[in-house]
Amino acid sequence: MIFCYALIMKKIFFVFAIFVSFLLFSCSKPGDLTVQRAMKSYQTKDYEESLKLFNEALNEESNYSPELIYNFIASIYLQMEDLENAVVYQMKSNELHPDYRGLVSLGMSLHLLNRDSEAEGAYRKAIDLIPEKGEAYASLGALYLGQGRADDAVLNLKKAADLEPKIAVIHANLAVAYAATGKSADSEAEFKIAEELKCENLEDFCDRAKSMQKQ
């Protein structure tokens, strides 16, 4: 995938840190302590205890919104590599409060579960929410590329590259998509940009492009 779960989860728990700071200067509620205990369990990788405490917090009065707690729970399931349960809570969170990164993360989880139709829907919702960001276009383009829909892949990856010109892997995927459509010169140009941006595993993208050119 284009954007790893580690980055998404890092942002989610950065939000938690902001909430902790907020609570230090606000009136604490009963569920706040439960959430903080849940986070401590998470940090020590006691995921089962963390899940139990987060679910308890959902039934307590708290400064933490239900959608944020659902996000925490989804992140734990992602750490446990339990995609089925992660998707359940990602969906719960986005039903209450649609969030751009939450929808992109949901799309990635659905794709890994081979639920590509639903993944496409999640990416499109993210685009509708904030069309000025490139992650959802990039993820959608990569999805289409994997499905052999090279023209659709080019369209979305080109949009992503325009919006996020400094993300190397987008240019690498766009190079592969161009190769699949027979546009060798455009493919080479994108590979050059990806190389200048120090794209990781660039050789793998080059091999994939060669394979698609043969097809």
Side-chain angles (χ1 to χ4, degrees):
M1 296 302 297
I2 291 178
F3 299 96
C4 66
Y5 283 119
L7 177 60
I8 293 171
M9 286 187 284
K10 182 178 179 182
K11 291 181 179 295
I12 289 172
F13 286 97
F14 174 73
V15 171
F16 166 77
I18 293 174
F19 269 78
V20 169
S21 299
F22 166 75
L23 288 173
L24 292 175
F25 301 98
S26 64
C27 296
S28 181
K29 295 180 180 180
D32 298 342
L33 179 58
T34 306
V35 170
Q36 292 173 46
R37 288 169 57 206
M39 287 303 303
K40 287 181 180 178
S41 294
Y42 171 83
Q43 289 165 355
T44 60
K45 298 186 179 181
D46 188 349
Y47 298 138
E48 293 296 339
E49 179 67 11
S50 185
L51 286 171
K52 181 177 77 70
L53 290 167
F54 274 129
N55 278 291
E56 286 179 10
L58 287 169
N59 297 313
E60 298 173 339
E61 187 179 3
S62 170
N63 282 302
Y64 297 88
S65 66
E67 60 266 25
L68 183 60
I69 295 176
Y70 288 145
N71 257 327
F72 290 149
I73 293 173
S75 296
I76 294 170
Y77 279 123
L78 288 174
Q79 290 283 15
M80 297 170 67
E81 298 184 357
D82 184 347
L83 287 173
E84 293 283 358
N85 276 311
V87 162
V88 170
Y89 284 93
Q90 287 173 317
M91 285 182 168
K92 284 177 178 286
S93 178
N94 281 290
E95 284 172 3
L96 290 177
H97 182 74
D99 171 76
Y100 181 85
R101 290 192 180 279
L103 287 165
V104 173
S105 178
L106 172 60
M108 291 178 178
S109 298
L110 289 165
H111 172 63
L112 290 172
L113 289 170
N114 296 314
R115 294 162 61 177
D116 281 357
S117 178
E118 293 172 89
E120 181 178 353
Y123 294 143
R124 290 202 174 280
K125 286 180 181 178
I127 290 169
D128 289 340
L129 198 63
I130 308 181
E132 298 82 14
K133 286 184 175 288
E135 293 98 327
Y137 286 109
S139 297
L140 189 57
L143 177 69
Y144 289 148
L145 189 57
Q147 294 176 336
R149 297 167 59 180
D151 289 331
D152 291 330
V154 166
L155 182 66
N156 284 276
L157 289 164
K158 180 67 171 64
K159 181 70 174 179
D162 290 340
L163 292 169
E164 308 285 353
K166 298 299 184 181
I167 298 180
V169 71
I170 294 177
H171 292 283
N173 270 315
L174 181 55
V176 175
Y178 274 136
T181 59
K183 297 180 180 178
S184 299
D186 290 330
S187 178
E188 290 176 8
E190 291 299 324
F191 272 131
K192 184 177 180 181
I193 295 172
E195 184 177 14
E196 290 172 352
L197 293 172
K198 303 185 185 307
C199 179
E200 295 183 8
N201 303 316
L202 188 59
E203 290 184 3
D204 292 339
F205 289 97
C206 292
D207 289 342
R208 189 179 180 195
K210 291 177 183 177
S211 175
M212 289 191 168
Q213 282 176 331
K214 291 178 181 179
Q215 293 177 9

